[in-house]
Amino acid sequence: MLAAYNTALIGIADGTVDDVADRIVEPGFDRRSDGFLVLAGDGLPVGYGTAFGRGDRQVVGIQVWSQKPTVADWLFEQTLQRAREMGRERGHAEITVDSDVYRADESLRALLADHDFTASTTYQRMRIDHTGPVATPEEPADVVVRRGAFDDATRWTAHEIIIDSFRGQLGFVARPHEEWIEYLEATASFDWSQITLLEIDGRAVAIRICNNEFVETENCGSIGMLAVLDEFRGRGLAKFLLREAFARDAADGRAGTILNVDTDNSAPALGLYLSVGMNPTLVSDGWCRILPVN
């Protein structure tokens, strides 16, 4: 159902069975109360909605998929109600509810606007194609490259860099460390060898987390997260991590490398990705609303 919905909008399924499975086993998601599946009389699914509370549930993400307007309306109300319940359970007077929507999904954009949501940020899916071998870049001077995160100390370090780099960005809520570990280990497209850290003078200052999210659907590598601590930006660390990922994906026979970027955040991320040869292929918007829980 989700593949048919996405294909009608953007021409590709943009997801796999593993992607759906990853969502419903994600720490913090309760399948008994946080997901809604609507079946037609013949037993086939015609709608799906989820509500996912982040952190102390002061931020809740909702998603709705249905080509039937009446079903989409019902799912929207159910997910909003579940979001309110999460806020009340944690004692909040109000919560932030957000939802990521393809720019092409006019009906869902209208539904959000009708419920007083506003578009607050834009996400670009970036891609670079690999038509042959890609040169591996030289490691930056005075930088030590650490590959893999197989021990507790390295995983703590990786998590701390992510929190420090994304703190304050719209929609980002830091997970407790053990929940972060559980989330990654439950993700079918990830393993700990896909984390790379850069160190300067013994301090970890940058991270890249790759995954196999787009291997099945597009034979592409994926960079799920790229971050450099503020005081170490402008040294070419992000470009090195990008170009090295491109070289590794090309050597593995991948058709390209894909990542998603928030183009409205404080860092000039879009310009960085354009400068290394990536191009936008898909646009989504992040919508949000402050919602009283009563």
Side-chain angles (χ1 to χ4, degrees):
M1 186 207 75
L2 296 178
Y5 183 90
N6 292 341
T7 301
L9 284 172
I10 60 174
I12 57 174
D14 199 29
T16 66
V17 172
D18 280 343
D19 291 336
V20 176
D22 287 345
R23 293 189 189 107
I24 65 175
V25 299
E26 187 167 350
F29 183 83
D30 188 338
R31 283 175 282 178
R32 298 166 299 178
S33 59
D34 301 345
F36 305 87
L37 182 64
V38 180
L39 305 179
D42 57 8
L44 294 177
V46 293
Y48 182 48
T50 60
F52 181 79
R54 299 195 284 276
D56 66 352
R57 305 308 189 262
Q58 196 152 14
V59 179
V60 181
I62 65 170
Q63 297 292 147
V64 168
W65 299 267
S66 181
Q67 293 179 326
K68 297 181 177 295
T70 55
V71 174
D73 289 348
W74 184 84
L75 285 168
F76 202 81
E77 293 298 335
Q78 299 307 306
T79 55
L80 283 182
Q81 180 57 35
R82 180 59 188 137
R84 291 188 182 94
E85 291 173 358
M86 291 181 186
R88 283 197 296 270
E89 289 166 0
R90 296 300 178 97
H92 303 308
E94 61 183 22
I95 56 174
T96 298
V97 181
D98 59 30
S99 186
D100 298 338
V101 182
Y102 295 126
R103 178 71 58 84
D105 196 339
E106 295 181 1
S107 61
L108 188 50
R109 289 164 57 87
L111 184 60
L112 286 160
D114 288 345
H115 284 79
D116 298 323
F117 282 69
T118 57
S120 53
T121 193
T122 298
Y123 303 101
Q124 297 270 5
R125 181 171 300 173
M126 309 294 292
R127 172 172 173 157
I128 186 170
D129 293 323
H130 308 314
T131 57
V134 176
T136 300
E138 292 186 10
E139 295 182 2
D142 302 321
V143 171
V144 175
V145 181
R146 304 289 187 192
R147 305 191 190 282
F150 303 107
D151 59 85
D152 290 341
T154 305
R155 294 175 185 181
W156 270 105
T157 298
H159 194 200
E160 288 169 353
I161 292 177
I162 291 168
I163 293 171
D164 288 345
S165 299
F166 289 93
R167 184 181 287 114
Q169 187 168 320
L170 181 69
F172 176 74
V173 177
R175 293 176 182 266
H177 182 69
E178 292 306 317
E179 183 180 304
W180 180 73
I181 297 289
E182 184 182 354
Y183 157 68
L184 289 177
E185 292 190 334
T187 302
S189 62
F190 169 80
D191 67 70
W192 291 105
S193 68
Q194 294 172 305
I195 288 183
T196 299
L197 293 169
L198 301 185
E199 293 181 358
I200 295 178
D201 295 329
R203 178 187 179 189
V205 301
I207 187 171
R208 183 190 67 213
I209 303 181
C210 295
N211 60 60
N212 299 323
E213 179 181 359
F214 297 108
V215 170
E216 180 179 339
T217 55
E218 301 188 51
N219 187 30
C220 284
S222 172
I223 300 174
M225 185 167 290
L226 182 72
V228 179
L229 296 181
D230 285 348
E231 62 264 42
F232 292 92
R233 291 176 180 171
R235 302 191 184 191
L237 303 182
K239 285 186 177 180
F240 166 76
L241 288 170
L242 288 166
R243 288 172 172 150
E244 190 194 53
F246 301 161
R248 286 171 170 259
D249 287 342
D252 288 340
R254 303 298 175 219
T257 303
I258 294 173
L259 60 78
N260 291 302
V261 57
D262 179 352
T263 57
D264 290 344
N265 67 19
S266 58
L270 182 59
L272 166 67
Y273 301 128
L274 292 171
S275 74
V276 295
M278 304 193 84
N279 293 294
T281 61
L282 183 64
V283 181
S284 300
D285 295 304
W287 293 67
C288 70
R289 175 188 173 186
I290 305 298
L291 185 70
V293 300
N294 295 318

PDB file of all heavy atoms in Angstrom, residues 15-50:
ATOM      1  N   GLY A  15      10.706   2.827  -0.480  1.00  0.00           N
ATOM      2  CA  GLY A  15      10.609   2.105   0.776  1.00  0.00           C
ATOM      3  C   GLY A  15      10.544   0.611   0.543  1.00  0.00           C
ATOM      4  O   GLY A  15      10.230   0.154  -0.550  1.00  0.00           O
ATOM      5  N   THR A  16      10.861  -0.135   1.588  1.00  0.00           N
ATOM      6  CA  THR A  16      10.858  -1.589   1.523  1.00  0.00           C
ATOM      7  C   THR A  16      10.099  -2.146   2.719  1.00  0.00           C
ATOM      8  O   THR A  16       9.732  -1.410   3.651  1.00  0.00           O
ATOM      9  CB  THR A  16      12.295  -2.133   1.557  1.00  0.00           C
ATOM     10  OG1 THR A  16      12.880  -1.830   2.840  1.00  0.00           O
ATOM     11  CG2 THR A  16      13.151  -1.526   0.443  1.00  0.00           C
ATOM     12  N   VAL A  17       9.889  -3.457   2.706  1.00  0.00           N
ATOM     13  CA  VAL A  17       9.269  -4.115   3.852  1.00  0.00           C
ATOM     14  C   VAL A  17      10.129  -3.920   5.102  1.00  0.00           C
ATOM     15  O   VAL A  17       9.608  -3.693   6.203  1.00  0.00           O
ATOM     16  CB  VAL A  17       9.056  -5.613   3.561  1.00  0.00           C
ATOM     17  CG1 VAL A  17       8.584  -6.349   4.811  1.00  0.00           C
ATOM     18  CG2 VAL A  17       8.039  -5.789   2.434  1.00  0.00           C
ATOM     19  N   ASP A  18      11.459  -3.984   4.936  1.00  0.00           N
ATOM     20  CA  ASP A  18      12.346  -3.760   6.086  1.00  0.00           C
ATOM     21  C   ASP A  18      12.170  -2.360   6.669  1.00  0.00           C
ATOM     22  O   ASP A  18      12.253  -2.177   7.890  1.00  0.00           O
ATOM     23  CB  ASP A  18      13.810  -3.953   5.680  1.00  0.00           C
ATOM     24  CG  ASP A  18      14.218  -5.415   5.635  1.00  0.00           C
ATOM     25  OD1 ASP A  18      13.494  -6.254   6.221  1.00  0.00           O
ATOM     26  OD2 ASP A  18      15.256  -5.723   5.024  1.00  0.00           O
ATOM     27  N   ASP A  19      11.930  -1.360   5.805  1.00  0.00           N
ATOM     28  CA  ASP A  19      11.721  -0.001   6.306  1.00  0.00           C
ATOM     29  C   ASP A  19      10.500   0.063   7.208  1.00  0.00           C
ATOM     30  O   ASP A  19      10.519   0.719   8.262  1.00  0.00           O
ATOM     31  CB  ASP A  19      11.540   0.974   5.138  1.00  0.00           C
ATOM     32  CG  ASP A  19      12.818   1.163   4.335  1.00  0.00           C
ATOM     33  OD1 ASP A  19      13.904   0.942   4.897  1.00  0.00           O
ATOM     34  OD2 ASP A  19      12.709   1.516   3.142  1.00  0.00           O
ATOM     35  N   VAL A  20       9.426  -0.604   6.811  1.00  0.00           N
ATOM     36  CA  VAL A  20       8.219  -0.628   7.636  1.00  0.00           C
ATOM     37  C   VAL A  20       8.499  -1.363   8.942  1.00  0.00           C
ATOM     38  O   VAL A  20       8.113  -0.909  10.030  1.00  0.00           O
ATOM     39  CB  VAL A  20       7.052  -1.290   6.879  1.00  0.00           C
ATOM     40  CG1 VAL A  20       5.818  -1.398   7.778  1.00  0.00           C
ATOM     41  CG2 VAL A  20       6.716  -0.499   5.618  1.00  0.00           C
ATOM     42  N   ALA A  21       9.195  -2.491   8.840  1.00  0.00           N
ATOM     43  CA  ALA A  21       9.512  -3.264  10.044  1.00  0.00           C
ATOM     44  C   ALA A  21      10.369  -2.452  11.006  1.00  0.00           C
ATOM     45  O   ALA A  21      10.163  -2.501  12.224  1.00  0.00           O
ATOM     46  CB  ALA A  21      10.224  -4.550   9.649  1.00  0.00           C
ATOM     47  N   ASP A  22      11.327  -1.699  10.467  1.00  0.00           N
ATOM     48  CA  ASP A  22      12.183  -0.872  11.324  1.00  0.00           C
ATOM     49  C   ASP A  22      11.365   0.129  12.117  1.00  0.00           C
ATOM     50  O   ASP A  22      11.654   0.402  13.293  1.00  0.00           O
ATOM     51  CB  ASP A  22      13.222  -0.129  10.485  1.00  0.00           C
ATOM     52  CG  ASP A  22      14.324  -1.038   9.965  1.00  0.00           C
ATOM     53  OD1 ASP A  22      14.449  -2.172  10.475  1.00  0.00           O
ATOM     54  OD2 ASP A  22      15.053  -0.611   9.049  1.00  0.00           O
ATOM     55  N   ARG A  23      10.348   0.697  11.480  1.00  0.00           N
ATOM     56  CA  ARG A  23       9.542   1.715  12.165  1.00  0.00           C
ATOM     57  C   ARG A  23       8.775   1.120  13.338  1.00  0.00           C
ATOM     58  O   ARG A  23       8.655   1.751  14.391  1.00  0.00           O
ATOM     59  CB  ARG A  23       8.557   2.367  11.186  1.00  0.00           C
ATOM     60  CG  ARG A  23       9.210   3.211  10.099  1.00  0.00           C
ATOM     61  CD  ARG A  23       8.160   3.991   9.315  1.00  0.00           C
ATOM     62  NE  ARG A  23       8.739   4.640   8.145  1.00  0.00           N
ATOM     63  CZ  ARG A  23       8.544   4.249   6.892  1.00  0.00           C
ATOM     64  NH1 ARG A  23       7.779   3.205   6.659  1.00  0.00           N
ATOM     65  NH2 ARG A  23       9.096   4.880   5.896  1.00  0.00           N
ATOM     66  N   ILE A  24       8.228  -0.079  13.165  1.00  0.00           N
ATOM     67  CA  ILE A  24       7.344  -0.601  14.212  1.00  0.00           C
ATOM     68  C   ILE A  24       8.100  -1.288  15.343  1.00  0.00           C
ATOM     69  O   ILE A  24       7.493  -1.615  16.368  1.00  0.00           O
ATOM     70  CB  ILE A  24       6.257  -1.534  13.635  1.00  0.00           C
ATOM     71  CG1 ILE A  24       6.871  -2.795  13.031  1.00  0.00           C
ATOM     72  CG2 ILE A  24       5.406  -0.800  12.612  1.00  0.00           C
ATOM     73  CD1 ILE A  24       5.824  -3.798  12.566  1.00  0.00           C
ATOM     74  N   VAL A  25       9.420  -1.513  15.183  1.00  0.00           N
ATOM     75  CA  VAL A  25      10.204  -2.042  16.305  1.00  0.00           C
ATOM     76  C   VAL A  25      11.093  -0.961  16.908  1.00  0.00           C
ATOM     77  O   VAL A  25      11.876  -1.231  17.816  1.00  0.00           O
ATOM     78  CB  VAL A  25      11.073  -3.239  15.864  1.00  0.00           C
ATOM     79  CG1 VAL A  25      10.201  -4.373  15.361  1.00  0.00           C
ATOM     80  CG2 VAL A  25      12.111  -2.841  14.826  1.00  0.00           C
ATOM     81  N   GLU A  26      10.950   0.273  16.446  1.00  0.00           N
ATOM     82  CA  GLU A  26      11.785   1.349  16.957  1.00  0.00           C
ATOM     83  C   GLU A  26      11.478   1.600  18.426  1.00  0.00           C
ATOM     84  O   GLU A  26      10.311   1.660  18.834  1.00  0.00           O
ATOM     85  CB  GLU A  26      11.551   2.624  16.152  1.00  0.00           C
ATOM     86  CG  GLU A  26      12.496   3.743  16.500  1.00  0.00           C
ATOM     87  CD  GLU A  26      12.460   4.879  15.494  1.00  0.00           C
ATOM     88  OE1 GLU A  26      11.858   4.730  14.430  1.00  0.00           O
ATOM     89  OE2 GLU A  26      13.065   5.926  15.794  1.00  0.00           O
ATOM     90  N   PRO A  27      12.515   1.744  19.261  1.00  0.00           N
ATOM     91  CA  PRO A  27      12.276   2.024  20.684  1.00  0.00           C
ATOM     92  C   PRO A  27      11.412   3.269  20.859  1.00  0.00           C
ATOM     93  O   PRO A  27      11.636   4.289  20.221  1.00  0.00           O
ATOM     94  CB  PRO A  27      13.689   2.260  21.236  1.00  0.00           C
ATOM     95  CG  PRO A  27      14.591   1.540  20.289  1.00  0.00           C
ATOM     96  CD  PRO A  27      13.953   1.658  18.944  1.00  0.00           C
ATOM     97  N   GLY A  28      10.408   3.162  21.719  1.00  0.00           N
ATOM     98  CA  GLY A  28       9.495   4.275  21.944  1.00  0.00           C
ATOM     99  C   GLY A  28       8.202   4.169  21.168  1.00  0.00           C
ATOM    100  O   GLY A  28       7.258   4.926  21.429  1.00  0.00           O
ATOM    101  N   PHE A  29       8.144   3.236  20.197  1.00  0.00           N
ATOM    102  CA  PHE A  29       6.908   3.052  19.423  1.00  0.00           C
ATOM    103  C   PHE A  29       6.157   1.852  19.987  1.00  0.00           C
ATOM    104  O   PHE A  29       6.687   0.746  20.052  1.00  0.00           O
ATOM    105  CB  PHE A  29       7.223   2.823  17.951  1.00  0.00           C
ATOM    106  CG  PHE A  29       6.000   2.689  17.071  1.00  0.00           C
ATOM    107  CD1 PHE A  29       5.356   3.816  16.605  1.00  0.00           C
ATOM    108  CD2 PHE A  29       5.501   1.443  16.727  1.00  0.00           C
ATOM    109  CE1 PHE A  29       4.226   3.705  15.795  1.00  0.00           C
ATOM    110  CE2 PHE A  29       4.371   1.321  15.928  1.00  0.00           C
ATOM    111  CZ  PHE A  29       3.733   2.456  15.463  1.00  0.00           C
ATOM    112  N   ASP A  30       4.903   2.081  20.390  1.00  0.00           N
ATOM    113  CA  ASP A  30       4.056   1.023  20.942  1.00  0.00           C
ATOM    114  C   ASP A  30       3.063   0.599  19.867  1.00  0.00           C
ATOM    115  O   ASP A  30       2.144   1.350  19.521  1.00  0.00           O
ATOM    116  CB  ASP A  30       3.311   1.536  22.181  1.00  0.00           C
ATOM    117  CG  ASP A  30       2.562   0.421  22.912  1.00  0.00           C
ATOM    118  OD1 ASP A  30       2.259  -0.608  22.285  1.00  0.00           O
ATOM    119  OD2 ASP A  30       2.278   0.593  24.111  1.00  0.00           O
ATOM    120  N   ARG A  31       3.233  -0.608  19.336  1.00  0.00           N
ATOM    121  CA  ARG A  31       2.367  -1.067  18.250  1.00  0.00           C
ATOM    122  C   ARG A  31       0.906  -1.206  18.672  1.00  0.00           C
ATOM    123  O   ARG A  31       0.014  -1.202  17.832  1.00  0.00           O
ATOM    124  CB  ARG A  31       2.886  -2.413  17.711  1.00  0.00           C
ATOM    125  CG  ARG A  31       4.101  -2.260  16.819  1.00  0.00           C
ATOM    126  CD  ARG A  31       4.655  -3.609  16.407  1.00  0.00           C
ATOM    127  NE  ARG A  31       5.434  -4.209  17.467  1.00  0.00           N
ATOM    128  CZ  ARG A  31       6.005  -5.416  17.384  1.00  0.00           C
ATOM    129  NH1 ARG A  31       5.842  -6.134  16.287  1.00  0.00           N
ATOM    130  NH2 ARG A  31       6.721  -5.893  18.380  1.00  0.00           N
ATOM    131  N   ARG A  32       0.662  -1.327  19.958  1.00  0.00           N
ATOM    132  CA  ARG A  32      -0.718  -1.468  20.429  1.00  0.00           C
ATOM    133  C   ARG A  32      -1.489  -0.158  20.401  1.00  0.00           C
ATOM    134  O   ARG A  32      -2.717  -0.164  20.362  1.00  0.00           O
ATOM    135  CB  ARG A  32      -0.721  -2.026  21.858  1.00  0.00           C
ATOM    136  CG  ARG A  32      -0.107  -3.402  22.002  1.00  0.00           C
ATOM    137  CD  ARG A  32       0.158  -3.745  23.446  1.00  0.00           C
ATOM    138  NE  ARG A  32       1.115  -2.797  24.045  1.00  0.00           N
ATOM    139  CZ  ARG A  32       1.486  -2.843  25.319  1.00  0.00           C
ATOM    140  NH1 ARG A  32       1.000  -3.754  26.126  1.00  0.00           N
ATOM    141  NH2 ARG A  32       2.358  -1.952  25.780  1.00  0.00           N
ATOM    142  N   SER A  33      -0.769   0.977  20.425  1.00  0.00           N
ATOM    143  CA  SER A  33      -1.472   2.258  20.545  1.00  0.00           C
ATOM    144  C   SER A  33      -1.010   3.328  19.570  1.00  0.00           C
ATOM    145  O   SER A  33      -1.723   4.306  19.351  1.00  0.00           O
ATOM    146  CB  SER A  33      -1.309   2.809  21.974  1.00  0.00           C
ATOM    147  OG  SER A  33       0.066   2.978  22.285  1.00  0.00           O
ATOM    148  N   ASP A  34       0.166   3.165  18.954  1.00  0.00           N
ATOM    149  CA  ASP A  34       0.763   4.259  18.178  1.00  0.00           C
ATOM    150  C   ASP A  34       0.660   4.076  16.668  1.00  0.00           C
ATOM    151  O   ASP A  34       1.115   4.945  15.917  1.00  0.00           O
ATOM    152  CB  ASP A  34       2.249   4.407  18.554  1.00  0.00           C
ATOM    153  CG  ASP A  34       2.436   4.704  20.034  1.00  0.00           C
ATOM    154  OD1 ASP A  34       1.434   5.065  20.696  1.00  0.00           O
ATOM    155  OD2 ASP A  34       3.569   4.563  20.534  1.00  0.00           O
ATOM    156  N   GLY A  35       0.084   2.972  16.219  1.00  0.00           N
ATOM    157  CA  GLY A  35      -0.085   2.743  14.790  1.00  0.00           C
ATOM    158  C   GLY A  35      -1.530   2.395  14.463  1.00  0.00           C
ATOM    159  O   GLY A  35      -2.232   1.771  15.270  1.00  0.00           O
ATOM    160  N   PHE A  36      -1.977   2.804  13.275  1.00  0.00           N
ATOM    161  CA  PHE A  36      -3.374   2.596  12.860  1.00  0.00           C
ATOM    162  C   PHE A  36      -3.381   2.093  11.419  1.00  0.00           C
ATOM    163  O   PHE A  36      -2.905   2.777  10.511  1.00  0.00           O
ATOM    164  CB  PHE A  36      -4.162   3.905  12.950  1.00  0.00           C
ATOM    165  CG  PHE A  36      -4.106   4.556  14.305  1.00  0.00           C
ATOM    166  CD1 PHE A  36      -3.065   5.426  14.628  1.00  0.00           C
ATOM    167  CD2 PHE A  36      -5.066   4.280  15.260  1.00  0.00           C
ATOM    168  CE1 PHE A  36      -2.996   6.019  15.875  1.00  0.00           C
ATOM    169  CE2 PHE A  36      -5.010   4.873  16.517  1.00  0.00           C
ATOM    170  CZ  PHE A  36      -3.972   5.745  16.828  1.00  0.00           C
ATOM    171  N   LEU A  37      -3.907   0.887  11.217  1.00  0.00           N
ATOM    172  CA  LEU A  37      -4.001   0.300   9.889  1.00  0.00           C
ATOM    173  C   LEU A  37      -5.465   0.138   9.532  1.00  0.00           C
ATOM    174  O   LEU A  37      -6.235  -0.478  10.281  1.00  0.00           O
ATOM    175  CB  LEU A  37      -3.304  -1.059   9.853  1.00  0.00           C
ATOM    176  CG  LEU A  37      -3.286  -1.787   8.509  1.00  0.00           C
ATOM    177  CD1 LEU A  37      -2.487  -0.998   7.471  1.00  0.00           C
ATOM    178  CD2 LEU A  37      -2.716  -3.194   8.675  1.00  0.00           C
ATOM    179  N   VAL A  38      -5.885   0.692   8.396  1.00  0.00           N
ATOM    180  CA  VAL A  38      -7.283   0.642   7.955  1.00  0.00           C
ATOM    181  C   VAL A  38      -7.396  -0.368   6.821  1.00  0.00           C
ATOM    182  O   VAL A  38      -6.664  -0.277   5.821  1.00  0.00           O
ATOM    183  CB  VAL A  38      -7.765   2.027   7.484  1.00  0.00           C
ATOM    184  CG1 VAL A  38      -9.218   1.946   7.020  1.00  0.00           C
ATOM    185  CG2 VAL A  38      -7.614   3.053   8.603  1.00  0.00           C
ATOM    186  N   LEU A  39      -8.313  -1.320   6.969  1.00  0.00           N
ATOM    187  CA  LEU A  39      -8.536  -2.338   5.952  1.00  0.00           C
ATOM    188  C   LEU A  39      -9.874  -2.127   5.268  1.00  0.00           C
ATOM    189  O   LEU A  39     -10.864  -1.743   5.906  1.00  0.00           O
ATOM    190  CB  LEU A  39      -8.494  -3.731   6.580  1.00  0.00           C
ATOM    191  CG  LEU A  39      -7.243  -4.112   7.375  1.00  0.00           C
ATOM    192  CD1 LEU A  39      -7.391  -5.511   7.950  1.00  0.00           C
ATOM    193  CD2 LEU A  39      -6.010  -4.008   6.511  1.00  0.00           C
ATOM    194  N   ALA A  40      -9.922  -2.401   3.970  1.00  0.00           N
ATOM    195  CA  ALA A  40     -11.176  -2.357   3.224  1.00  0.00           C
ATOM    196  C   ALA A  40     -11.953  -3.647   3.472  1.00  0.00           C
ATOM    197  O   ALA A  40     -11.479  -4.561   4.144  1.00  0.00           O
ATOM    198  CB  ALA A  40     -10.886  -2.179   1.739  1.00  0.00           C
ATOM    199  N   GLY A  41     -13.156  -3.701   2.911  1.00  0.00           N
ATOM    200  CA  GLY A  41     -13.999  -4.882   3.097  1.00  0.00           C
ATOM    201  C   GLY A  41     -13.365  -6.159   2.604  1.00  0.00           C
ATOM    202  O   GLY A  41     -13.666  -7.252   3.107  1.00  0.00           O
ATOM    203  N   ASP A  42     -12.482  -6.064   1.608  1.00  0.00           N
ATOM    204  CA  ASP A  42     -11.816  -7.258   1.083  1.00  0.00           C
ATOM    205  C   ASP A  42     -10.555  -7.620   1.862  1.00  0.00           C
ATOM    206  O   ASP A  42      -9.827  -8.551   1.496  1.00  0.00           O
ATOM    207  CB  ASP A  42     -11.461  -7.063  -0.391  1.00  0.00           C
ATOM    208  CG  ASP A  42     -10.580  -5.835  -0.639  1.00  0.00           C
ATOM    209  OD1 ASP A  42     -10.123  -5.211   0.347  1.00  0.00           O
ATOM    210  OD2 ASP A  42     -10.352  -5.503  -1.812  1.00  0.00           O
ATOM    211  N   GLY A  43     -10.292  -6.879   2.953  1.00  0.00           N
ATOM    212  CA  GLY A  43      -9.145  -7.179   3.787  1.00  0.00           C
ATOM    213  C   GLY A  43      -7.857  -6.513   3.365  1.00  0.00           C
ATOM    214  O   GLY A  43      -6.835  -6.650   4.054  1.00  0.00           O
ATOM    215  N   LEU A  44      -7.862  -5.774   2.269  1.00  0.00           N
ATOM    216  CA  LEU A  44      -6.649  -5.107   1.803  1.00  0.00           C
ATOM    217  C   LEU A  44      -6.485  -3.756   2.503  1.00  0.00           C
ATOM    218  O   LEU A  44      -7.471  -3.068   2.770  1.00  0.00           O
ATOM    219  CB  LEU A  44      -6.693  -4.910   0.287  1.00  0.00           C
ATOM    220  CG  LEU A  44      -6.665  -6.181  -0.554  1.00  0.00           C
ATOM    221  CD1 LEU A  44      -6.787  -5.846  -2.036  1.00  0.00           C
ATOM    222  CD2 LEU A  44      -5.385  -6.974  -0.290  1.00  0.00           C
ATOM    223  N   PRO A  45      -5.246  -3.342   2.800  1.00  0.00           N
ATOM    224  CA  PRO A  45      -5.036  -2.075   3.498  1.00  0.00           C
ATOM    225  C   PRO A  45      -5.315  -0.882   2.589  1.00  0.00           C
ATOM    226  O   PRO A  45      -4.936  -0.874   1.417  1.00  0.00           O
ATOM    227  CB  PRO A  45      -3.558  -2.127   3.891  1.00  0.00           C
ATOM    228  CG  PRO A  45      -2.934  -3.041   2.885  1.00  0.00           C
ATOM    229  CD  PRO A  45      -3.978  -4.059   2.555  1.00  0.00           C
ATOM    230  N   VAL A  46      -5.971   0.131   3.143  1.00  0.00           N
ATOM    231  CA  VAL A  46      -6.259   1.364   2.400  1.00  0.00           C
ATOM    232  C   VAL A  46      -5.758   2.602   3.142  1.00  0.00           C
ATOM    233  O   VAL A  46      -5.894   3.712   2.641  1.00  0.00           O
ATOM    234  CB  VAL A  46      -7.761   1.514   2.106  1.00  0.00           C
ATOM    235  CG1 VAL A  46      -8.232   0.448   1.131  1.00  0.00           C
ATOM    236  CG2 VAL A  46      -8.578   1.476   3.397  1.00  0.00           C
ATOM    237  N   GLY A  47      -5.166   2.407   4.314  1.00  0.00           N
ATOM    238  CA  GLY A  47      -4.648   3.556   5.055  1.00  0.00           C
ATOM    239  C   GLY A  47      -3.779   3.113   6.213  1.00  0.00           C
ATOM    240  O   GLY A  47      -3.971   2.034   6.784  1.00  0.00           O
ATOM    241  N   TYR A  48      -2.802   3.956   6.534  1.00  0.00           N
ATOM    242  CA  TYR A  48      -1.864   3.650   7.613  1.00  0.00           C
ATOM    243  C   TYR A  48      -1.432   4.964   8.242  1.00  0.00           C
ATOM    244  O   TYR A  48      -1.165   5.945   7.539  1.00  0.00           O
ATOM    245  CB  TYR A  48      -0.649   2.906   7.046  1.00  0.00           C
ATOM    246  CG  TYR A  48       0.390   2.476   8.065  1.00  0.00           C
ATOM    247  CD1 TYR A  48       0.035   1.825   9.235  1.00  0.00           C
ATOM    248  CD2 TYR A  48       1.740   2.707   7.822  1.00  0.00           C
ATOM    249  CE1 TYR A  48       0.993   1.412  10.148  1.00  0.00           C
ATOM    250  CE2 TYR A  48       2.726   2.292   8.727  1.00  0.00           C
ATOM    251  CZ  TYR A  48       2.337   1.643   9.889  1.00  0.00           C
ATOM    252  OH  TYR A  48       3.292   1.241  10.793  1.00  0.00           O
ATOM    253  N   GLY A  49      -1.394   4.994   9.568  1.00  0.00           N
ATOM    254  CA  GLY A  49      -0.959   6.199  10.266  1.00  0.00           C
ATOM    255  C   GLY A  49      -0.165   5.837  11.504  1.00  0.00           C
ATOM    256  O   GLY A  49      -0.397   4.792  12.121  1.00  0.00           O
ATOM    257  N   THR A  50       0.776   6.707  11.874  1.00  0.00           N
ATOM    258  CA  THR A  50       1.588   6.467  13.060  1.00  0.00           C
ATOM    259  C   THR A  50       1.784   7.756  13.842  1.00  0.00           C
ATOM    260  O   THR A  50       1.762   8.851  13.284  1.00  0.00           O
ATOM    261  CB  THR A  50       2.982   5.913  12.692  1.00  0.00           C
ATOM    262  OG1 THR A  50       3.666   6.857  11.850  1.00  0.00           O
ATOM    263  CG2 THR A  50       2.876   4.572  11.977  1.00  0.00           C
TER     264      THR A  50
END
